[in-house]
């Protein structure tokens, strides 16, 4: 079967990964309503036609508004994030347990461990620290409970070797949940962002922001960037989709250009919609997360499914969307290109 979009890798990966591993990557918390809503919310963002909006909101997925007779022979996808120029606004989301998909494959109570990890990141040439703030406890992931999730015997928590953090033991439910409960600092507060700034010169990105209030607090406490995220719907179920929270976060940032507003997405039109709502960069949604293996960029699904370079596929889709929408650079993508289900309807022309 020829792969024509990123989501088609998922069923192939399901065939090739052990059930426990696939379920870990693919499932969400509890009823998985938010997991579905992360995708459904994108499909409810429609394209506008010229300057007129549809008066009836459809749940079908529409292309963005086409602007015709514009020279789109050259499309510039480049942008700047945290002062670094990158070739496109599609980046790699942080994730864990990558070796379960392929052999190449949080803040701990012990602050000395955190400091060692930060120094290791600096030495490796990383450009920022992503502080995950929505995991004081692990969400109830029922698939992991049913599967008695644990690391396969040949794998270890490689980043933590030599740091005396123990190991993930088999339990009667989820070994991961039990391990996190014993290691992650539940007392994490805003002041800890400032402590983290004392041990590194790298910019701190706060990952897990979904409200205007937390956006303002992130800026107030010195965060250099914000990642709008509901943890891939793996923490608290029935919270809004990330794309539904994005515009509120953008407005609360009030032009603070140090804030890099990012949201999860899965295809080229999603990228366009997120940028139209004010995002400055996009992370592919979990578990469509990039790994660098043998010179290829590929997702966790791709590790077992094989096929075309996924980041290139997303780039091609996004570039085509821009061309057909008549946008030659990212600055030409505006809020006028889309309508959300919260926007007031406008009449359709009778002509």
């Amino acid at each position: 079967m020829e792969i024509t979009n990123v989501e088609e890798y998922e069923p192939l990966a399901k065939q090739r990964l052990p059930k426990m591993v696939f379920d870990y990557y693919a499932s969400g918390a509890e009823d998985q309503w938010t997991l579905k809503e992360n995708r459904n919310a994108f499909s409810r963002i429609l394209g506008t036609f010229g300057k007129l909006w549809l008066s009836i909101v459809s749940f079908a997925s529409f292309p963005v508004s086409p602007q015709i007779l514009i020279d789109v022979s050259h499309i510039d996808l480049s942008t700047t994030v945290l002062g670094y120029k990158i070739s496109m606004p599609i980046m790699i989301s942080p994730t864990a347990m990558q070796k379960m998909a392929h052999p190449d494959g949080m803040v701990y109570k012990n602050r000395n461990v955190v400091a060692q990890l930060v120094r290791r990141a600096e030495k490796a040439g990383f450009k920022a620290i992503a502080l995950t703030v929505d995991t004081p406890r692990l969400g109830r992931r029922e698939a992991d409970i049913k599967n008695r999730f644990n690391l396969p015997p040949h794998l270890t928590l490689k980043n933590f070797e030599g740091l005396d953090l123990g190991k993930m033991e088999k339990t009667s439910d989820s070994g991961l949940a039990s391990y996190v409960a014993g290691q992650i600092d539940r007392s994490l507060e805003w002041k800890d962002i400032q402590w983290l700034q004392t041990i590194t010169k790298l910019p701190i990105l706060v990952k897990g922001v979904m409200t205007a209030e937390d956006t303002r607090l992130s800026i107030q406490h010195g965060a250099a960037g914000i990642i709008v995220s509901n943890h891939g719907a793996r923490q608290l179920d029935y919270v809004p989709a990330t794309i539904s929270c994005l515009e509120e976060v953008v407005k609360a940032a009030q032009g603070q250009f140090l804030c890099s507003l990012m949201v999860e997405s899965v295809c080229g039109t999603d990228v366009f919609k997120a940028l139209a709502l004010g995002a400055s960069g996009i992370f592919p949604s979990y578990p469509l997360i990039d790994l660098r293996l043998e010179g290829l960029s590929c997702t966790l699904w791709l590790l077992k499914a094989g096929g075309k370079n996924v980041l290139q596929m997303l780039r091609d889709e996004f570039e085509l969307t821009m061309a057909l929408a008549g946008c030659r650079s990212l600055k030409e993508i505006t809020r006028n290109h889309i309508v959300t289900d919260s926007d007031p309807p406008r009449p359709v022309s009778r002509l």
Side-chain angles (χ1 to χ4, degrees):
M1 180 183 72
E2 182 179 0
I3 299 295
T4 57
N5 63 70
V6 172
E7 290 186 299
E8 289 180 351
Y9 285 115
E10 183 172 342
L12 295 181
K14 187 174 184 178
Q15 295 174 10
R16 303 186 186 189
L17 286 170
K19 184 178 186 302
M20 181 188 75
V21 174
F22 177 84
D23 287 348
Y24 170 79
Y25 291 137
S27 63
E30 300 183 340
D31 297 335
Q32 303 191 112
W33 182 88
T34 299
L35 184 67
K36 301 180 183 72
E37 179 66 3
N38 273 353
R39 292 296 313 128
N40 293 339
F42 269 105
S43 71
R44 295 196 297 271
I45 300 175
L46 312 181
T48 59
F49 294 85
K51 297 301 180 181
L52 299 175
W53 292 358
L54 296 179
S55 59
I56 300 176
V57 175
S58 167
F59 283 82
S61 178
F62 271 56
V64 294
S65 143
Q67 304 288 318
I68 61 173
L69 293 179
I70 294 176
D71 181 359
V72 291
S73 56
H74 175 70
I75 303 293
D76 182 11
L77 274 66
S78 65
T79 189
T80 300
V81 173
L82 297 175
Y84 295 96
K85 187 170 183 178
I86 57 178
S87 62
M88 61 178 175
I90 304 171
M91 291 164 281
I92 302 167
S93 182
T95 188
M97 311 297 182
Q98 296 168 350
K99 276 195 171 183
M100 292 194 303
H102 193 284
D104 292 334
M106 306 174 181
V107 175
Y108 280 71
K109 293 177 180 177
N110 187 333
R111 289 298 191 262
N112 183 51
V113 168
V114 177
Q116 290 183 62
L117 293 173
V118 168
R119 286 195 292 271
R120 188 182 299 173
E122 292 173 333
K123 187 176 180 180
F126 286 85
K127 304 303 183 185
I129 300 292
L131 177 63
T132 299
V133 296
D134 58 1
T135 321
R137 296 177 60 179
L138 206 66
R140 182 177 173 82
R141 304 169 189 175
E142 296 179 4
D144 289 351
I145 295 172
K146 291 176 180 177
N147 292 328
R148 305 289 191 265
F149 177 85
N150 201 5
L151 279 178
H154 64 287
L155 296 182
T156 61
L157 297 170
K158 191 70 175 179
N159 279 349
F160 308 123
E161 284 185 358
L163 297 180
D164 193 26
L165 283 174
K167 61 181 180 179
M168 193 184 301
E169 303 286 357
K170 289 186 177 180
T171 68
S172 59
D173 47 29
S174 168
L176 178 62
S178 298
Y179 180 80
V180 168
Q183 298 293 345
I184 298 298
D185 189 353
R186 297 184 186 183
S187 68
L188 194 68
E189 296 179 315
W190 288 105
K191 60 181 175 60
D192 293 300
I193 296 178
Q194 295 168 317
W195 170 81
L196 195 56
Q197 290 171 328
T198 68
I199 66 170
T200 182
K201 293 183 179 179
L202 293 178
I204 309 299
L205 307 180
V206 179
K207 178 178 179 287
V209 174
M210 298 180 66
T211 67
E213 179 182 5
D214 284 344
T215 300
R216 289 188 287 267
L217 285 169
S218 297
I219 296 171
Q220 178 183 330
H221 287 86
I226 291 171
I227 301 177
V228 181
S229 173
N230 57 29
H231 211 97
R234 295 161 65 78
Q235 281 300 99
L236 180 61
D237 202 10
Y238 295 97
V239 298
T242 47
I243 192 66
S244 300
C245 304
L246 177 59
E247 197 161 26
E248 175 183 339
V249 172
V250 170
K251 290 177 180 177
Q254 294 183 335
Q256 294 277 347
F257 295 109
L258 288 178
C259 285
S260 301
L261 302 164
M262 309 169 190
V263 70
E264 295 149 331
S265 65
V266 73
C267 64
T269 52
D270 288 352
V271 177
F272 190 100
K273 291 173 183 179
L275 266 63
L277 287 170
S280 61
I282 306 301
F283 285 124
S285 62
Y286 197 96
L288 301 176
I289 296 164
D290 180 86
L291 299 174
R292 301 279 173 173
L293 301 175
E294 300 175 359
L296 296 177
S297 299
C298 48
T299 68
L300 288 171
W301 288 159
L302 180 58
L303 297 182
K304 283 295 181 181
K308 187 177 179 180
N309 181 312
V310 169
L311 282 182
Q312 186 63 49
M313 182 179 290
L314 289 173
R315 181 188 177 95
D316 291 346
E317 290 176 356
F318 178 49
E319 183 177 27
L320 179 61
T321 302
M322 287 182 62
L324 296 179
C327 296
R328 295 160 293 190
S329 66
L330 301 192
K331 66 181 180 181
E332 293 185 357
I333 302 174
T334 70
R335 183 62 170 82
N336 290 331
H337 283 98
I338 61 170
V339 55
T340 70
D341 53 1
S342 62
D343 291 326
R346 295 184 182 181
V348 177
S349 172
R350 297 180 181 275
L351 297 180

